[in-house]
Amino acid sequence: MGLLDSVLGQVLGAVGQTQPQQHGGLVGFGGELGGIAGALGGLLANNGAVGGLGGLVSKFEQAGMGDVIGSWIGKGDNAPISGNQLGEVLGGDAISGIASKLGVDTTTLLPMLATMLPSLIDQLTPHGKVPEQGLGNQDDLLSSLSGLLQKG
């Protein structure tokens, strides 16, 4: 199992334990594979809506919060972020789109993402920097997540 599979398995496992379940297992949050996996893929994939992890870093920098995401990528403690701050960084359209995919409202989504993203990004950047090639395209990320979600 690769690093991405391992990290997302941990994050999705935590979400699966704390969120309502349908159909059993981790597939429960958001209904199908397109749920939480699609949301994370859309944020982190090279061909996602924000241009991958590098694009996400740029969005944080433009919002004056480069130090926050920098702490998630770098070694050391992760700076916290509130759901409202994350909403400002990502923008209303992106948040509404993710919430719609997951079948939740933004007041449910934002705190969940604010909790998940720091840990996820921290674990995906163990060397303290954004990988030169990014994290792969959305299809690659969804493919690796498919097995994890179906095991749940």
Side-chain angles (χ1 to χ4, degrees):
M1 182 180 294
L3 174 63
L4 182 60
D5 289 344
S6 175
V7 169
L8 290 173
Q10 292 171 12
V11 171
L12 292 172
V15 169
Q17 292 170 9
T18 60
Q19 299 296 332
Q21 303 275 317
Q22 306 165 351
H23 314 270
L26 300 177
V27 178
F29 194 79
E32 301 294 334
L33 176 61
I36 195 69
L40 293 173
L43 287 175
L44 300 174
N46 295 347
N47 64 343
V50 299
L53 185 53
L56 192 60
V57 169
S58 293
K59 284 187 118 5
F60 271 77
E61 289 171 347
Q62 291 169 4
M65 298 188 70
D67 58 328
V68 173
I69 197 165
S71 75
W72 305 346
I73 294 167
K75 298 180 184 223
D77 293 335
N78 292 335
I81 189 167
S82 72
N84 289 339
Q85 289 172 314
L86 188 57
E88 290 174 20
V89 169
L90 296 177
D93 290 343
I95 294 300
S96 295
I98 294 169
S100 177
K101 276 185 185 178
L102 296 176
V104 299
D105 60 31
T106 58
T107 59
T108 301
L109 175 67
L110 285 171
M112 180 188 72
L113 285 180
T115 300
M116 291 172 50
L117 275 180
S119 176
L120 180 62
I121 291 172
D122 182 51
Q123 293 181 47
L124 289 172
T125 55
H127 303 293
K129 61 182 181 176
V130 176
E132 284 186 32
Q133 301 300 317
L135 300 175
N137 289 331
Q138 193 162 3
D139 289 343
D140 300 331
L141 288 173
L142 290 176
S143 175
S144 67
L145 289 174
S146 179
L148 289 172
L149 292 172
Q150 291 174 1
K151 287 179 190 174

